[in-house]
DNA sequence: GGCGGGTATGTAACCGGTTACAGTCATCGG
DNA sequence: CCGATGACTGTAACCGGTTACATACCCGCC
């Protein structure tokens, strides 16, 4: 009801004590007389007092917020990641402060700079920035953990092990008897996209050197993949498997094949990457990445770093697991 | 590089000016000599200075952050909502500060209290709280906008028009020749769930008074709906349409029907609510809610309110649109 | 009775910005 | 030549917490 909310001095006055005592009670400090504590709590209740977070931040230099910088805020990947981040953050009394970031390196730097003084640490996911841009954008002197970022060894980093994932899927496709696999790659500058593309070439060269290993340039979008498949069909290019760099493209491919009346998995197998929830429903074979767990672990690590108990920065690679479903093998 | 980052006084010293001038330049104030401005900017650049957000908040009583309180942080609904929120927020220079909230009214109050002094406004979505709990939890004196909350007329509120949506879908099912429609309701205390359930009863009573209008108690979970459908089949209950309170349950029902070898939509039609991305892939008929737009509009309104230009609080209802797909009508 | 030591409390400086108010200086009209 | 006016800049108080340090008090012991 009060026009302006109560301050610690109001509470002190109401309790006939000094601000120091009030502060001590509120922070659960050691030496306070039980009676004093009671008087303070009573006054707090009576005034409906809530400490001002900005003032507290200013004097303690801690905000209890952690910045989360992401390239885009949509899709399953984002929501799963946030879920993990929030779980870990709120377990330790932190709030996630969100910021989306657009492709540009300069804008990325601004987004991060704007968080200075607002957060105690930064969790950054920037698969679209190269190492130099990233290094330039990251603020100095702020605990930072990276997720899916390019080479940067001054900070702890989490990465999906794309190479291992691609290898597992290619092995699976070959084991299913596929010989002519087409890879649909993701956005050109994207780290995951290029790792997956390169791994595909290498693994094919190693495991099936005599087979073609065609690669089409996609962009992680469903519609694009559909179009590419239609072109393949129109050009009469032979193939018996499509391995898309992510699930959305795999679904686009699937749709295009079905519309063309092509039997999946009979004539063509389809595989994706990420295991978005959709995949299970559509029985899409894919590589499962524990995104929620990734978010939680990255956040845990960030909090350790902010609280000064963390070992040296390192890479942590998460190996995805093969989810072999109906689009690569007939159910029997 | 500096151990501790530069303050405005460091900048003032470096530029041989007073803090007031520096502050004026940084805030784009009126009266500053061009030369002065240049000296300040030069010093800022040299020192790599970024203003401390906490200090600024303390003296201006504005944080440029807005609190987003949500019941859970997963699924498409969440990511779409956040997408809209972030788009509107960053367009106006605000950061979303996230907090998930568990069912309990007391915990909800704590979650919101913890945001006091950290945010300039609050966007709350709490479909699981009743009006009294909600009123108790909301902090006073902080601009607030509600999304999908129960009756509360002191704040601006956005709501999905469940009644209108249910009516559209029931009309559609009847138009498709369905006569024996079963509704699978959502979680008991949930606002959307009960509105959809009640609307179903009413609309059926109005449009098809002679037909049965069976209602089963579900919980928004896919598995539960599957089980309920299996029970219907086991008990030989006649029905030719399932209208689930959300898409996930519709999908569970769909799966159970397919496993039982029942032709959809031939023998039984299936419909959901929400239009999650999955729905399109599985050709599920459903009601489309523009969640992204909802988030953006709610945020815009909140910002207007925070900046003191907003008309009286009111309700805004968003009418969902019918997405008639393959599970209610044979493709022809 | 005086003194050491522990406990409980108060005072005031400080965190890093913003801004009201007070100055300084040059210009200009009378 | 003086005062007024306007353009620019500086000083210091203030926002609301935290906390180092000082102080007051009570106890037990020699």
């Amino acid at each position: 009801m009060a026009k302006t909310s109560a301050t610690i001095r109001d509470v002190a006055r109401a309790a006939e004590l000094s601000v120091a005592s009030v502060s001590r009670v509120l922070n659960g400090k050691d030496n306070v007389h039980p009676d004093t504590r009671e008087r303070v709590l009573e006054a707090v209740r009576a005034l409906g007092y809530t400490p001002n977070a900005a003032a507290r931040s200013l004097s303690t230099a801690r905000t209890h917020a952690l910045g989360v910088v992401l390239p885009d805020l949509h899709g399953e990947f984002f929501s799963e990641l946030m879920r993990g981040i929030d779980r870990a953050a709120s377990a330790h009394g932190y709030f996630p402060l969100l910021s989306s970031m657009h492709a540009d390196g300069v804008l990325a730097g601004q987004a991060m700079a704007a968080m200075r003084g607002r957060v105690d640490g930064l969790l950054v996911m920037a698969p679209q920035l190269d190492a130099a841009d990233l290094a330039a954008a990251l603020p100095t002197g702020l605990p930072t953990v990276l997720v899916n970022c390019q080479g940067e060894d001054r900070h702890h980093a989490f990465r999906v092990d794309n190479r291992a994932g691609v290898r597992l899927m290619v092995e699976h496709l070959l084991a299913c008897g596929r010989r002519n696999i087409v890879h649909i790659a993701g956005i050109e500058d994207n780290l995951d996209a290029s790792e997956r593309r390169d791994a595909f070439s290498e693994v094919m060269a190693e495991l099936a050197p005599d087979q073609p290993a065609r690669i089409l340039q996609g962009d992680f979008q469903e519609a694009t993949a559909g179009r590419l498949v239609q072109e393949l069909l129109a050009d009469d290019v032979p193939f018996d498997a499509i391995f898309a760099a992510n699930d959305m493209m795999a679904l686009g491919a699937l749709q295009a094949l079905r519309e063309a009346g092509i039997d999946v998995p009979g004539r063509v197998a389809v595989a994706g990457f990420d295991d978005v929830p959709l995949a299970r429903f559509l029985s899409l074979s894919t590589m499962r990445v524990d995104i929620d767990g990734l978010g939680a672990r990255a956040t845990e690590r960030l909090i350790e770093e902010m609280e000064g108990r963390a070992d040296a920065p390192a890479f942590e690679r998460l190996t995805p697991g093969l989810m072999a479903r109906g689009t690569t093998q007939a159910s029997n």
Side-chain angles (χ1 to χ4, degrees), chain A:
Chain A
M1 298 305 135
K3 267 295 186 299
T4 170
S5 62
T7 75
I8 197 173
R9 294 178 224 267
D10 296 331
V11 174
R13 200 172 311 122
E16 298 181 302
L17 286 166
S18 73
V19 292
S21 294
V22 176
S23 177
R24 280 188 276 258
V25 169
L26 263 37
N27 293 306
K29 283 297 176 59
D30 29 24
N31 300 333
V32 205
H33 192 92
D35 293 354
T36 304
R37 179 179 308 278
E38 200 38 62
R39 289 211 334 258
V40 169
L41 294 178
E42 175 54 32
V44 165
R45 222 171 300 129
L47 295 172
Y49 168 74
T50 315
N52 178 310
R56 183 172 283 185
S57 295
L58 182 56
S59 55
T60 58
R62 321 214 41 242
T63 63
H64 289 277
L66 47 86
V68 178
V69 179
L70 301 176
D72 29 44
L73 270 46
H74 60 97
E76 307 274 359
F77 192 96
F78 162 67
S79 61
E80 285 298 295
L81 190 72
M82 279 313 302
R83 190 168 143 80
I85 291 173
D86 178 77
R87 184 155 36 81
S90 59
H92 290 85
Y94 286 89
F95 286 98
L97 190 68
L98 222 58
S99 171
S100 70
M101 169 183 59
H102 294 77
D104 192 314
V106 177
L107 285 178
Q110 287 176 352
M112 298 189 202
M115 287 201 158
R116 289 210 50 180
R118 303 181 153 275
V119 299
D120 296 336
L122 223 47
L123 193 153
V124 175
M125 172 163 137
Q128 81 286 13
L129 293 186
D130 63 32
D133 279 352
L134 178 62
L138 289 177
T140 58
L142 195 60
T144 302
V145 163
L146 306 174
V147 174
N148 276 19
C149 288
Q150 314 218 27
E152 229 295 354
D153 47 5
R154 292 175 323 196
H155 301 288
H156 203 78
F158 289 81
R159 285 269 285 279
V160 171
D161 193 338
N162 289 306
R163 300 197 118 67
V166 167
R167 168 174 289 266
L168 285 170
M169 182 55 84
V170 169
E171 283 171 355
H172 168 65
L173 290 170
L174 292 172
C176 291
R178 309 295 164 168
R179 287 295 168 264
N180 199 330
I181 308 175
V182 174
H183 179 67
I184 305 183
I187 292 184
E188 203 136 15
D189 295 333
N190 185 284
L191 176 61
D192 289 313
S194 53
E195 282 196 351
R196 290 170 194 179
R197 181 182 4 84
D198 296 349
F200 176 74
S201 297
E202 291 167 25
V203 172
M204 285 300 285
E206 178 190 337
L207 300 181
D210 302 335
Q211 308 300 333
R214 189 184 301 269
I215 294 178
L216 304 180
Q217 184 62 52
D219 58 2
F220 283 144
Q221 307 276 321
E222 181 193 342
T224 306
R227 206 169 342 101
L228 289 170
V229 168
Q230 285 165 358
E231 288 172 19
L232 280 182
L233 295 172
D235 295 351
D236 258 333
V237 176
F239 62 99
D240 59 9
I242 300 266
F243 178 14
N246 74 343
D247 283 349
M248 291 318 286
M249 290 201 298
L251 296 177
L254 195 58
Q255 193 109 334
L257 291 169
R258 292 221 167 114
E259 280 169 9
I262 291 177
D263 182 32
V264 174
R267 236 177 86 195
V268 174
V270 174
F273 208 114
D274 287 346
D275 196 28
V276 299
L278 264 164
R280 184 170 55 86
F281 281 95
L282 297 166
S283 200
L284 174 70
S285 292
T286 184
M287 298 306 305
R288 168 153 186 66
V289 181
D290 178 14
I291 305 169
D292 171 299
L294 174 61
R297 283 179 56 189
T299 305
E300 294 280 0
R301 163 73 202 201
L302 177 57
I303 292 173
E304 281 173 18
E305 213 157 297
M306 292 176 342
E307 297 181 347
R309 38 174 236 288
D311 37 7
F315 267 109
E316 288 192 46
R317 290 202 139 78
L318 305 188
T319 304
L322 175 66
M323 307 301 287
R325 300 201 180 101
T327 55
T328 52
Q329 44 188 193
S331 58
N332 47 359

